[in-house]
Amino acid sequence: KAVAKSPHYNTPEMDPFWQLLPSLISTKFPTANDKDLERVAGMVEFSIGAGKVEDGVVENPWRPHTELHAYMPGLGEAEPFLDPDQLDLCKQLSENYDVISSEYEALLE
């Protein structure tokens, strides 16, 4: 159903991969129903230009939604991989950037 939402569905402009996808999925997962494939359908809709990014993604500064090349709905809240403010090593590296940079430049000479 998600593929059929493409504005290019059943036209020469549609990428053949998307037209094959429903049969590929039904062959690999014959017992899967629409509910089981809801997130996959969301990814397909986004990829073919017929889907919408969830509001939580658009409002989250850690998810640059205008730069997405792929999207899977329902992944949950995003946060930085590692918050540098919570890691003493990162604080020390940041505080000593000038010294580290000078030492590196000296090694290059």
Side-chain angles (χ1 to χ4, degrees), residues 5-24:
K5 292 181 180 179
S6 169
H8 300 293
Y9 183 65
N10 278 339
T11 69
E13 290 84 29
M14 180 126 190
D15 185 323
F17 169 77
W18 297 115
Q19 292 181 336
L20 287 172
L21 189 61
S23 62
L24 294 172

Side-chain angles (χ1 to χ4, degrees), residues 23-90:
S23 62
L24 294 172
I25 290 174
S26 64
T27 300
K28 181 70 175 171
F29 305 101
T31 61
N33 59 39
D34 288 347
K35 181 69 177 155
D36 295 334
L37 298 171
E38 193 173 283
R39 289 181 53 223
V40 174
M43 182 275 303
V44 170
E45 289 172 9
F46 177 82
S47 298
I48 61 176
K52 179 180 177 264
V53 177
E54 296 165 302
D55 290 339
V57 173
V58 173
E59 297 162 1
N60 189 323
W62 294 107
R63 288 183 161 173
H65 68 282
T66 58
E67 300 173 17
L68 292 177
H69 65 278
Y71 173 67
M72 176 68 76
L75 292 178
E77 295 297 315
E79 55 187 60
F81 179 67
L82 294 173
D83 183 353
D85 293 333
Q86 296 178 354
L87 299 171
D88 189 50
L89 174 63
C90 289

